[in-house]
Amino acid sequence: MSGQSLTDRIAAAQHSMTGSAISKAVCKATTHEVSGPKKKHLDYLIHCTNELNVSIPHLADTLLERTASNSWIVVFKALITTHHLMMYGNDRLMQYLASRNTLFNLNNFLDKAALQGYNMSTFIRRYSCYLNEKAMSYRLAAMDFTKMKRGADGVMRTMNTEKLIKTLPIIQNQLDALLDFQPNSNELTNGVINTAFMLLFKDSIRLFAAYNEGIINMLEKYFDMKKNQCKEALEIYKTFLNRMTKLSEFLKVAERVGIDQGDSPDLTQAPSSLLEALEQHLASLEGRKLKDLSTASSFCSLVGGMLSFINTSTEPQQMD
């Protein structure tokens, strides 16, 4: 038990005496050791989420109780453990977390015990906001964007126009919260924050894959949309272009700290002519005139070519 604090040992002993295996595992996953939660404890908790006789509310509440600690290490590791279970545990846990009115309330968290506590507290506040948004996305869309079926017959590529326009902003909000973590490579200085960053990196790739496929679907449907739908779709696409820039910056940090970039998407921007073509179509629906177009067929041909560019340049590979 080397590296664990006396408090950790006492808490583990108490849970052993009361027979609470889940509480003991959560305690051991969230010790004061400056390292990520141990795999054996995470694996056990994942197993628990798949057991029908395990109380998911009890498991979730135990994790939430650990975030009441004054120690940045314990709180950060509780968030990491929760995130890990969101990603790899049974959907029952995600469903329960999404059903809660509040999840993490750490906007004012600050560990004043040491300078490192001050620095890490900033990332704890940002990380908790992302996990809150991840749960909210599930609540609003009834799906986990990082786990959905992808490809030509996947969820986002086959979604109808009305649902697509409602769903893409939800993905955008989740991606925004993720990218707001905003670490510099020189701030990834210990095993705790590094573990959190790796989970965020994996989520960013999967989340962008869903986002990108939704954008492709939306652009394919753009010329059959009503005027108001075109307005919303155009704003969604402009936001997408901005998020590509922010995601590129995030992935550069991952590259600097040695994370394998094999699964990263090529974020080469589509030519500006695509945005101009979309704006021109909306203008024509509104009775405005931006630029002369030779024929409708050449216009659609231009957009079709741009869609092919986006599909091949920005789609990430599948991740395990």
Side-chain angles (χ1 to χ4, degrees):
M1 298 180 73
S2 175
Q4 294 184 26
S5 70
L6 179 60
T7 303
D8 295 329
R9 298 183 188 190
I10 293 173
Q14 288 175 333
H15 294 312
S16 293
M17 292 192 321
T18 60
S20 177
I22 287 177
S23 297
K24 183 178 179 180
V26 169
C27 180
K28 287 191 171 184
T30 58
T31 64
H32 288 75
E33 294 176 89
V34 186
S35 60
K38 287 185 171 62
K39 183 178 184 299
K40 62 181 179 180
H41 303 313
L42 294 175
D43 287 347
Y44 175 75
L45 291 172
I46 289 172
H47 168 75
C48 288
T49 68
N50 290 306
E51 292 295 308
L52 295 179
N53 62 337
V54 168
S55 169
I56 293 298
H58 171 63
L59 171 57
D61 289 344
T62 305
L63 286 166
L64 290 170
E65 286 169 8
R66 294 297 279 174
T67 65
S69 170
N70 293 323
S71 166
W72 73 266
I73 305 170
V74 173
V75 175
F76 218 152
K77 290 170 78 169
L79 295 177
I80 289 168
T81 303
T82 304
H83 191 181
H84 191 89
L85 296 182
M86 283 177 158
M87 293 173 70
Y88 302 112
N90 191 285
D91 273 356
R92 291 192 306 148
L93 176 67
M94 191 61 153
Q95 289 166 5
Y96 176 74
L97 295 175
S99 73
R100 293 177 61 104
N101 291 327
T102 58
L103 192 53
F104 298 110
N105 186 18
L106 295 169
N107 290 338
N108 297 316
F109 178 82
L110 183 61
D111 183 343
K112 301 178 182 179
L115 178 60
Q116 190 175 34
Y118 272 95
N119 295 337
M120 291 297 107
S121 293
T122 298
F123 294 105
I124 284 172
R125 294 191 295 269
R126 294 173 183 173
Y127 194 27
S128 67
C129 286
Y130 170 67
L131 296 182
N132 286 341
E133 195 63 45
K134 185 177 174 75
M136 180 56 72
S137 291
Y138 192 97
R139 183 174 184 170
L140 294 174
M143 64 182 82
D144 185 340
F145 297 120
T146 66
K147 294 181 180 180
M148 60 173 44
K149 181 181 179 181
R150 302 207 298 266
D153 59 345
V155 176
M156 297 305 297
R157 288 298 299 271
T158 57
M159 192 173 286
N160 65 51
T161 300
E162 185 176 351
K163 188 172 182 181
L164 194 61
I165 288 177
K166 290 180 179 178
T167 302
L168 281 169
I170 299 174
I171 298 179
Q172 289 174 340
N173 289 338
Q174 185 178 337
L175 185 60
D176 283 347
L178 188 154
L179 297 177
D180 281 344
F181 193 70
Q182 288 183 322
N184 295 316
S185 54
N186 59 7
E187 292 173 312
L188 300 174
T189 56
N190 62 72
V192 181
I193 190 173
N194 289 351
T195 302
F197 184 73
M198 176 58 80
L199 294 179
L200 289 169
F201 171 78
K202 290 178 179 179
D203 261 12
S204 72
I205 300 302
R206 294 165 177 165
L207 192 57
F208 181 77
Y211 191 17
N212 181 63
E213 290 190 354
I215 291 294
I216 292 171
N217 185 13
M218 182 187 74
L219 293 177
E220 288 173 341
K221 290 176 164 59
Y222 187 76
F223 299 102
D224 296 320
M225 291 181 186
K226 299 173 184 177
K227 182 172 66 175
N228 287 340
Q229 291 176 327
C230 282
K231 280 185 179 180
E232 292 181 81
L234 182 58
E235 290 307 310
I236 288 171
Y237 181 66
K238 288 178 179 178
T239 302
F240 172 76
L241 296 178
N242 178 264
R243 297 309 176 272
M244 284 181 66
T245 301
K246 291 181 68 175
L247 178 60
S248 178
E249 294 168 357
F250 181 87
L251 296 179
K252 285 177 183 177
V253 175
E255 184 177 13
R256 291 189 199 106
V257 297
I259 294 178
D260 182 11
Q261 297 289 295
D263 293 305
S264 296
D266 177 3
L267 297 176
T268 305
Q269 291 273 8
S272 59
S273 52
L274 173 55
L275 178 58
E276 292 171 2
L278 300 177
E279 291 174 330
Q280 175 64 44
H281 178 67
L282 177 58
S284 68
L285 293 180
E286 296 178 330
R288 295 181 291 116
K289 188 174 183 181
L290 297 180
K291 292 182 179 179
D292 289 330
L293 295 173
S294 55
T295 64
S297 60
S298 63
F299 178 59
C300 291
S301 176
L302 165 66
V303 175
M306 295 304 99
L307 284 174
S308 176
F309 176 88
I310 293 174
N311 196 16
T312 57
S313 296
T314 62
E315 185 173 3
Q317 302 171 18
Q318 294 279 353
M319 292 182 71
D320 296 329

